Amino acid sequence: MMNVKYKTISVVMALIFSATALAEESKQDKIDRAKSAAPSSVSDNATVVDTDGTVLQEGSNGWTCLPDTMPGDHAPMCNDATWMKMMAAVGKKEEFVADKIGISYMLQGEPTGSGVSNSSPHHPDHKNSDDYVETGPHVMIIVPKEMLKGMTDDPNVGGPYVMWGDTDYAHIMLPVSLDGKQVTTKESK
């Protein structure tokens, strides 16, 4: 009986330590995930920044890669300076005016359950929004807002679509997956 008790305790302790080890992601794991968001021609010399703002690796090419779009979502992205400016404005809920093109790569796409409202970056409950969308591998493009006129904001029609179109943060979503996950919405499930 005593032996079974110790085996049970050992198994429970092993599970606790395993969960703790999984929760503590290494700096290198974060860097690798962040850089996986873009082609190596972009990510190899990019600065890598954690979601808390900590610089994990200095870069030299003007690109910034993040291991997560939102804390803990494991949706890596690599952004040019225009996208970083827009992301800062989104975070502070400040005005943003696109005066030039901006590019962001998300070639790993959004993991299941990490999508957003297609109409607002500030939706209080993205996962339960009527316009919830998660996109497989994609590129995002910021352009001056007048250039978005005539583009669909419906991710279900296939091809590029506008996200957050009625906000200062409007941008083009360009799905690029050849195989695997494309675009998932409540309508397409």
Side-chain angles (χ1 to χ4, degrees):
M1 182 73 169
M2 188 64 99
N3 197 13
V4 171
K5 180 179 176 183
Y6 286 119
K7 283 184 180 178
T8 302
I9 290 172
S10 295
V11 168
V12 169
M13 293 303 289
L15 289 172
I16 290 170
F17 288 127
S18 295
T20 302
L22 289 174
E24 294 178 22
E25 187 174 22
S26 76
K27 176 180 173 181
Q28 190 59 51
D29 287 342
K30 290 180 181 183
I31 291 170
D32 292 345
R33 184 171 67 249
K35 287 184 166 197
S36 74
S40 60
S41 60
V42 169
S43 63
D44 280 354
N45 295 307
T47 297
V48 178
V49 178
D50 207 346
T51 48
D52 66 0
T54 302
V55 175
L56 300 174
Q57 182 175 305
E58 290 289 342
S60 60
N61 66 358
W63 287 84
T64 303
C65 297
L66 307 158
D68 306 293
T69 301
M70 304 296 262
D73 70 2
H74 287 72
M77 65 189 317
C78 288
N79 305 320
D80 69 6
T82 301
W83 255 93
M84 289 305 291
K85 184 177 174 184
M86 194 270 281
M87 293 293 290
V90 168
K92 296 176 183 176
K93 296 184 179 181
E94 293 178 343
E95 181 179 309
F96 175 79
V97 177
D99 58 357
K100 59 184 168 184
I101 293 174
I103 306 290
S104 175
Y105 289 96
M106 289 187 72
L107 298 183
Q108 295 300 320
E110 297 161 331
T112 300
S114 67
V116 296
S117 161
N118 195 51
S119 60
S120 173
H122 301 118
H123 193 285
D125 185 7
H126 288 282
K127 290 180 183 178
N128 291 307
S129 67
D130 288 337
D131 61 351
Y132 175 84
V133 62
E134 58 188 55
T135 306
H138 61 282
V139 175
M140 299 181 289
I141 306 168
I142 295 171
V143 296
K145 203 160 184 179
E146 62 272 5
M147 295 179 75
L148 298 174
K149 288 186 173 101
M151 283 195 73
T152 185
D153 63 356
D154 185 351
N156 293 297
V157 298
Y161 63 95
V162 176
M163 178 174 274
W164 303 339
D166 290 332
T167 74
D168 287 349
Y169 321 115
H171 59 279
I172 300 167
M173 296 287 287
L174 182 62
V176 296
S177 178
L178 296 176
D179 295 312
K181 183 176 179 179
Q182 300 287 319
V183 176
T184 304
T185 64
K186 285 188 173 186
E187 184 178 311
S188 65
K189 286 184 178 180

